[in-house]
Amino acid sequence: MQIEPQAFDRVLSSMCTKPHPVAREAAERFLATNPGDPGTYPTISALEEEAIATLGEIAGLEEPAGYVASGGTEANIQAVRIARERAQTRRPTVVMPASAHFSFRKAADVLGVDLCVVPTDDSHRIDLEAVRSAVDADTAMVVAVAGTTEYGRVDPIPELGEIARSVDALLHVDAAWGGFVLPFTDFEWHFGHAPVDTMTIDPHKMGQAAVPAGGLLVRDSDLLDELAVDTPYLESTSQATLTGTRSGAGVASAVAAMEELWPAGYRSQYVRSQNNAEWLADVLEKRGYEVVEPTLPLVAADVPESTFEALRAEGWRISRTATGELRVVCMPHVSREMLASFVADLDRLEVRASVPIPSD
Ligand SMILES: *Cc1c(COP(=O)(O)O)cnc(C)c1O
């Protein structure tokens, strides 16, 4: 059992990680600030602009616009809200892959839009033919995932952009988890690669910032205007965020982490994490498990339910995909030693689980 609430030594299931020391320090320093009230807290407000500038650089956005949200959920909800406001139809729908994060279900619920869920193909990416037949005049937005939650897959984003354009829908890229590793890969995922309108990219996942620090980016600041409401009692005149009072700690820690790590630190972290994922995939394959190849630092493998439960009982924080595979996210705190010790436990427990109990 973990006594220490922030211990990460057995955590293999989380998309968050230990904040970088500079991120932790910045979070503590800005704990009592509120970027939701820029007239009163100008320093954190200026830092938020820096955060958006760097996020824009990471995501190939020439004129960065957006804000630091409470997380990927808020950013996804807000992106759907922009699309709904832009839509010319009375029944706006969002076309998304089955691999999309469950936050889009919340968005649909809150905003009263319909979801049209399109299947993924054998490579766990959205099926383009199915998207082509799903879109129509009611489509307000097409969602592409750049780093899926279960398998770390990247949808074919330029092609999805073309399809979205063909029906005047917006293209949203959900890079909540993948955004800080994709810059070091050959994937086409960002504003410079495709006609992306909005993007979710979270500093509090691979970005090593403290929670809460999500990110919403928009191609054109006009898109943010769709979200703005008047703010009578504040010195600033309008607010585009979903939350009112919000965490300056998250904003400051995002800036500190990105200043420290972009790009060299994130690059070496990506290499370390990806090597770890490939090492684990290889080791599991050699043991006869069916493994979904890690295209980003995330491994899924078909480990029996009883072994999975035994590993959890050993204190390993692991989770499963919807179809029951073991899922290991190679976040920055996940070291090779940790994985080796995990595999040693797996070997030990698997042997015990598979030895038949003598009858009598
Ligand atoms: C984690 C995640 C989210 C949700 O982000 P939160 O910060 O947990 O709200 C959305 N989309 C993807 C792809 C994610 O991995």
Side-chain angles (χ1 to χ4, degrees), residues 2-200:
Q2 288 175 336
I3 309 294
E4 163 63 52
Q6 295 174 53
F8 278 92
D9 55 316
R10 292 207 156 201
V11 176
L12 299 176
S13 55
S14 185
M15 296 195 124
C16 291
T17 192
K18 210 183 232 170
H20 190 282
V22 301
R24 179 184 292 269
E25 197 268 334
E28 283 168 5
R29 208 146 40 87
F30 282 85
L31 205 55
T33 61
N34 170 19
D37 180 3
T40 310
Y41 303 93
T43 311
I44 194 64
S45 223
L47 278 179
E48 183 165 22
E49 279 174 33
E50 272 184 48
I52 295 308
T54 312
L55 283 173
E57 199 181 314
I58 295 170
L61 185 56
E62 273 172 17
E63 286 171 37
Y67 74 89
V68 176
S70 56
T73 298
E74 180 185 340
N76 283 341
I77 291 173
Q78 292 282 76
V80 174
R81 188 171 157 214
I82 291 172
R84 187 193 65 174
E85 295 305 303
R86 280 281 162 118
Q88 303 290 328
T89 158
R90 283 176 48 234
R91 288 194 58 92
T93 61
V94 168
V95 173
M96 66 175 206
S99 55
H101 189 264
F102 56 79
S103 47
F104 289 100
R105 302 202 172 275
K106 299 182 185 176
D109 252 14
V110 173
L111 296 166
V113 303
D114 287 328
L115 294 177
C116 172
V117 180
V118 168
T120 51
D121 60 18
D122 293 344
S123 67
H124 303 288
R125 306 190 317 156
I126 196 168
D127 182 332
L128 285 176
E129 273 320 303
V131 180
R132 285 191 187 97
S133 27
V135 296
D136 59 23
D138 287 333
T139 309
M141 168 179 271
V142 175
V143 173
V145 189
T148 58
T149 314
E150 293 199 328
Y151 301 111
R153 289 300 192 263
V154 181
D155 288 323
I157 291 166
E159 290 84 347
L160 289 170
E162 262 175 47
I163 300 172
R165 281 292 174 273
S166 74
V167 290
D168 284 331
L170 298 186
L171 174 66
H172 176 66
V173 171
D174 184 358
W177 177 73
F180 283 82
V181 293
L182 286 163
F184 314 109
T185 68
D186 294 331
F187 286 108
E188 294 190 296
W189 65 284
H190 71 34
F191 288 94
H193 299 139
V196 177
D197 295 293
T198 55
M199 179 183 287
T200 294

Side-chain angles (χ1 to χ4, degrees), residues 332-351:
H333 66 269
V334 176
S335 64
R336 185 67 60 89
E337 294 69 39
M338 222 172 127
L339 291 175
S341 139
F342 175 72
V343 173
D345 277 1
L346 172 71
D347 282 347
R348 187 168 50 81
L349 296 164
E350 182 72 316
V351 169

